[in-house]
Coordinates of all heavy atoms in Angstrom, one line a residue:
N442 N 29.9 -110.6 141.6 CA 30.2 -109.9 142.8 C 29.4 -110.6 143.9 O 29.5 -110.2 145.1 CB 29.8 -108.5 142.7 CG 30.8 -107.6 143.5 OD1 31.9 -108.1 143.9 ND2 30.5 -106.4 143.8
Q445 N 31.2 -111.8 147.1 CA 31.7 -110.6 148.0 C 30.6 -110.0 148.7 O 30.7 -109.6 149.9 CB 32.4 -109.6 147.1 CG 33.7 -110.1 146.5 CD 34.5 -108.9 146.0 OE1 34.9 -108.0 146.7 NE2 35.0 -109.0 144.7
V446 N 29.4 -109.9 148.2 CA 28.3 -109.4 148.8 C 27.9 -110.2 149.9 O 27.6 -109.7 151.1 CB 27.2 -109.1 147.8 CG1 25.8 -108.7 148.5 CG2 27.4 -108.0 146.8
I459 N 22.9 -106.2 145.4 CA 23.3 -105.0 144.9 C 22.2 -104.0 144.5 O 21.2 -104.5 144.0 CB 24.2 -105.4 143.7 CG1 25.6 -106.0 144.1 CG2 24.4 -104.1 142.8 CD1 26.4 -106.4 142.9
K463 N 22.3 -97.7 142.0 CA 23.5 -97.0 142.5 C 24.8 -97.6 141.9 O 25.7 -97.0 141.6 CB 23.6 -97.3 144.0 CG 22.6 -96.5 144.9 CD 22.6 -96.8 146.3 CE 21.5 -96.1 147.1 NZ 21.5 -96.4 148.6
N464 N 24.8 -99.0 141.6 CA 25.9 -99.7 141.1 C 26.1 -99.2 139.6 O 27.1 -99.2 139.1 CB 25.9 -101.1 141.2 CG 26.4 -101.6 142.5 OD1 27.5 -101.9 142.6 ND2 25.6 -101.5 143.6
G466 N 25.5 -96.2 138.6 CA 26.2 -94.9 138.8 C 27.8 -95.2 139.0 O 28.6 -94.3 138.6
L467 N 28.1 -96.2 139.7 CA 29.6 -96.5 139.9 C 30.2 -97.1 138.6 O 31.4 -96.8 138.3 CB 29.7 -97.6 141.0 CG 29.2 -97.1 142.4 CD1 29.3 -98.3 143.4 CD2 30.1 -95.9 143.0
L468 N 29.4 -97.8 137.8 CA 30.0 -98.3 136.6 C 30.1 -97.4 135.5 O 31.1 -97.5 134.8 CB 29.0 -99.5 136.2 CG 29.4 -100.2 134.8 CD1 30.8 -100.9 135.0 CD2 28.3 -101.2 134.4
P470 N 31.2 -94.3 135.0 CA 32.6 -93.5 134.7 C 33.6 -94.5 134.4 O 34.8 -94.2 134.0 CB 32.8 -92.7 135.9 CG 32.1 -93.4 137.2 CD 30.9 -93.9 136.4
M471 N 33.5 -95.9 134.7 CA 34.5 -96.8 134.6 C 34.5 -97.6 133.2 O 35.4 -98.4 132.9 CB 34.5 -97.9 135.6 CG 34.7 -97.3 137.0 SD 36.4 -96.6 137.1 CE 37.4 -98.1 136.9
A484 N 41.6 -102.3 137.7 CA 40.4 -101.5 137.7 C 39.2 -102.3 138.0 O 38.2 -101.8 138.7 CB 40.4 -100.7 136.4
L485 N 39.1 -103.5 137.4 CA 37.8 -104.3 137.6 C 37.8 -104.7 139.1 O 36.7 -104.6 139.7 CB 37.9 -105.5 136.7 CG 36.7 -106.5 136.9 CD1 35.4 -105.8 136.6 CD2 37.0 -107.7 136.0
T486 N 38.8 -105.1 139.7 CA 38.9 -105.6 141.1 C 38.5 -104.5 142.0 O 37.7 -104.6 143.0 CB 40.3 -106.1 141.5 OG1 40.7 -107.2 140.6 CG2 40.3 -106.6 142.9
D487 N 39.0 -103.2 141.7 CA 38.6 -102.1 142.6 C 37.2 -101.8 142.5 O 36.5 -101.5 143.4 CB 39.5 -100.8 142.2 CG 40.9 -101.0 142.5 OD1 41.3 -102.0 143.4 OD2 41.8 -100.3 142.0
L488 N 36.6 -101.9 141.2 CA 35.2 -101.6 141.0 C 34.3 -102.7 141.8 O 33.4 -102.2 142.4 CB 34.9 -101.6 139.5 CG 33.4 -101.5 139.1 CD1 33.0 -100.1 139.5 CD2 33.2 -101.7 137.6
L489 N 34.7 -103.9 141.7 CA 33.9 -104.9 142.5 C 33.9 -104.7 143.9 O 32.8 -104.9 144.6 CB 34.5 -106.3 142.0 CG 34.3 -106.8 140.5 CD1 34.9 -108.1 140.4 CD2 32.8 -106.8 140.3
K490 N 35.1 -104.3 144.5 CA 35.2 -104.1 145.9 C 34.3 -103.0 146.3 O 33.6 -102.9 147.3 CB 36.6 -103.8 146.4 CG 37.5 -105.0 146.3 CD 38.9 -104.6 146.8 CE 39.9 -105.9 146.8 NZ 41.2 -105.5 147.1
Q491 N 34.3 -101.9 145.5 CA 33.5 -100.7 145.7 C 32.0 -101.1 145.7 O 31.2 -100.6 146.5 CB 33.8 -99.6 144.8 CG 33.1 -98.2 145.1 CD 33.6 -97.2 144.2 OE1 34.0 -97.4 143.0 NE2 33.5 -95.9 144.6
M492 N 31.6 -101.9 144.6 CA 30.2 -102.2 144.5 C 29.7 -103.1 145.7 O 28.5 -103.0 145.9 CB 30.0 -102.9 143.2 CG 30.1 -102.0 142.0 SD 29.7 -103.0 140.5 CE 29.5 -101.6 139.3
A493 N 30.6 -103.8 146.3 CA 30.2 -104.8 147.4 C 30.2 -104.0 148.8 O 29.8 -104.6 149.8 CB 31.1 -105.9 147.5
M494 N 30.5 -102.7 148.8 CA 30.4 -101.9 150.1 C 28.9 -101.9 150.5 O 28.0 -101.7 149.6 CB 30.9 -100.5 149.9 CG 32.4 -100.5 149.6 SD 33.1 -98.9 149.2 CE 32.7 -98.0 150.8
T495 N 28.6 -102.1 151.8 CA 27.3 -102.1 152.3 C 26.5 -100.8 152.0 O 25.2 -100.9 151.9 CB 27.3 -102.3 153.8 OG1 28.1 -101.4 154.5 CG2 27.8 -103.7 154.1
R496 N 27.1 -99.7 151.8 CA 26.4 -98.5 151.5 C 25.7 -98.6 150.1 O 24.8 -97.8 149.8 CB 27.3 -97.3 151.6 CG 28.4 -97.3 150.5 CD 29.3 -96.1 150.8 NE 28.8 -94.9 150.6 CZ 29.3 -93.7 150.9 NH1 30.6 -93.7 151.3 NH2 28.7 -92.6 150.9
Y497 N 26.2 -99.5 149.3 CA 25.6 -99.7 148.0 C 24.8 -100.9 147.8 O 24.6 -101.3 146.7 CB 26.7 -99.7 146.9 CG 27.6 -98.4 146.9 CD1 29.0 -98.4 147.1 CD2 27.0 -97.1 146.7 CE1 29.7 -97.2 147.1 CE2 27.7 -95.9 146.7 CZ 29.1 -96.0 146.9 OH 29.8 -94.9 146.9
L498 N 24.4 -101.5 148.9 CA 23.6 -102.7 148.9 C 22.2 -102.4 149.5 O 22.1 -101.3 150.1 CB 24.3 -103.8 149.7 CG 25.7 -104.2 149.3 CD1 26.2 -105.2 150.2 CD2 25.8 -104.6 148.0

Side-chain angles (χ1 to χ4, degrees):
N442 219 19
Q445 291 197 54
V446 171
I459 286 175
K463 293 177 183 177
N464 276 265
L467 297 174
L468 175 61
M471 295 298 295
L485 177 61
T486 301
D487 292 342
L488 176 63
L489 292 176
K490 287 182 179 178
Q491 188 177 22
M492 287 182 168
M494 295 174 63
T495 53
R496 65 187 299 176
Y497 300 124
L498 305 177

